[in-house]
C-alpha cells in the first residue's frame, strides 16, 4: 500500500471531522474533490486509485486536473478554486507526516487560486431605499412585517439567507440595541441598530401580537 491511501483516510476521519470540526457540507465537498481527482489521476497515469502514490500528485497533474474541471466539466472559476483549496488542505496535512514528499507537495501548494472577474458592486440610492420601505402596505400585518424586515435588512446589511434565519432572541431592542446573525463561513456578527429601526421593530412586534 502506498502512503496516499492511509493518509487520505486519516485526513477525512481524523483531521476534518475530529480536529477541524468541519461541517457535513465541507466534508462532502472535499470528498467529491478527491473522487474527481483520483479518477483523473488514474486515467492520466494509468495507475489504479488504490495504488496511486503521493509522488504522482505533482504540480503538472494538479494543474491538468484544474484545467479539466474548467474545460471538460465546465466548472466555474469559484468551483475550480474550491477544488484546489481541498487539495491544498490535504497536502498541507500530508506534508507533516511524509517529509520525503515535501518538494512535490511544495510545488502543488504554490499553485495559486485563479482570479475571479470583479463584479461591480451596486448599492441602493437613498431614493430607492425610501421606495423599498414604502412599498409594503403597513395597514396590514403582513405589510408591517415586510416593512420591518426591509428596514432591518437595510440597516444591518443582511443577506436574504441571514434575515430569514433570524430568531426572535437574535434581536435586542433594549440598551445597546443590536442584531446577531450568522453569515458566510458560519461567522457570527453583531450589528448595532439605530433608533428608527428599533422603533419600527417595536411597532411591528406590537402589531403582530395585538
Amino acid at each position: 500500500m502506498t502512503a496516499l491511501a492511509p493518509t487520505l483516510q486519516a485526513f477525512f476521519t481524523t483531521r476534518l471531522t475530529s480536529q477541524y470540526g468541519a461541517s457535513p457540507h465541507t466534508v462532502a465537498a472535499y470528498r467529491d474533490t478527491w473522487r474527481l481527482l483520483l479518477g483523473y489521476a488514474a486515467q492520466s497515469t494509468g495507475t489504479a486509485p488504490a495504488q496511486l502514490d503521493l509522488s504522482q500528485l505533482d504540480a503538472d497533474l494538479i494543474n491538468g486536473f484544474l484545467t479539466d474541471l474548467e474545460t471538460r466539466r465546465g466548472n466555474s472559476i469559484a468551483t475550480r478554486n474550491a477544488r484546489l483549496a481541498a487539495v491544498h488542505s490535504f497536502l498541507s496535512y500530508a506534508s507533516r507526516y511524509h517529509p520525503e514528499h515535501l518538494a512535490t507537495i511544495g510545488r502543488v501548494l504554490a499553485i495559486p487560486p485563479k482570479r475571479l472577474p470583479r463584479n461591480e458592486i451596486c448599492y441602493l440610492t437613498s431614493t430607492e431605499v425610501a421606495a423599498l420601505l414604502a412599498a409594503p402596505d403597513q395597514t396590514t400585518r403582513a405589510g408591517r412585517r415586510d416593512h420591518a424586515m426591509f428596514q432591518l435588512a437595510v440597516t444591518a446589511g443582511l443577506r436574504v439567507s441571514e434575515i430569514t434565519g433570524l430568531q426572535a432572541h437574535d434581536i435586542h431592542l433594549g440598551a445597546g440595541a443590536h442584531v446577531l446573525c450568522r453569515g458566510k463561513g458560519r461567522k457570527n456578527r453583531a450589528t448595532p441598530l439605530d433608533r428608527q429601526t428599533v422603533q419600527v421593530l417595536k411597532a411591528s412586534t406590537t402589531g403582530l401580537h395585538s
Side-chain angles (χ1 to χ4, degrees):
M1 181 183 294
T2 70
L4 176 60
T7 308
L8 191 57
Q9 181 176 351
F11 174 72
F12 275 94
T13 59
T14 303
R15 188 65 164 179
L16 278 182
T17 55
S18 300
Q19 297 178 4
Y20 280 178
S23 69
H25 176 75
T26 298
V27 173
Y30 276 39
R31 177 205 62 205
D32 291 344
T33 295
W34 279 93
R35 178 179 57 81
L36 292 170
L37 175 55
L38 292 175
Y40 175 83
Q43 185 176 20
S44 299
T45 65
T47 306
Q51 300 303 318
L52 284 168
D53 191 59
L54 276 168
S55 61
Q56 293 174 276
L57 301 182
D58 57 20
D60 287 341
L61 186 138
I62 300 303
N63 275 318
F65 170 64
L66 297 173
T67 300
D68 183 70
L69 290 176
E70 290 190 79
T71 57
R72 186 178 65 84
R73 296 185 60 84
N75 288 166
S76 66
I77 294 176
T79 298
R80 178 245 191 225
N81 288 343
R83 301 297 190 202
L84 177 60
V87 173
H88 279 175
S89 182
F90 166 71
L91 290 179
S92 294
Y93 169 78
S95 67
R96 302 180 183 183
Y97 301 96
H98 298 285
E100 69 274 19
H101 295 296
L102 277 178
T104 299
I105 291 174
R107 285 188 286 271
V108 176
L109 294 179
I111 298 174
K114 193 170 185 178
R115 288 190 176 183
L116 287 163
R118 292 188 176 182
N119 295 323
E120 183 179 352
I121 300 176
C122 299
Y123 300 91
L124 293 177
T125 65
S126 57
T127 302
E128 291 170 333
V129 169
L132 177 67
L133 295 177
D137 180 2
Q138 295 186 55
T139 63
T140 66
R141 296 180 65 185
R144 289 191 294 273
R145 177 205 63 198
D146 291 347
H147 175 75
M149 189 164 56
F150 290 156
Q151 179 74 46
L152 180 59
V154 168
T155 300
L158 300 180
R159 299 178 178 87
V160 172
S161 60
E162 292 171 345
I163 198 164
T164 56
L166 289 176
Q167 302 292 324
H169 58 77
D170 295 324
I171 301 175
H172 302 264
L173 302 180
H178 63 279
V179 59
L180 295 172
C181 76
R182 171 168 288 192
K184 293 183 68 175
R186 296 185 295 170
K187 294 180 180 179
N188 295 324
R189 76 175 187 274
T191 304
L193 300 177
D194 59 24
R195 183 178 302 176
Q196 179 183 357
T197 303
V198 170
Q199 291 174 347
V200 168
L201 291 173
K202 285 183 175 179
S204 174
T205 304
T206 301
L208 288 176
H209 290 288
S210 62

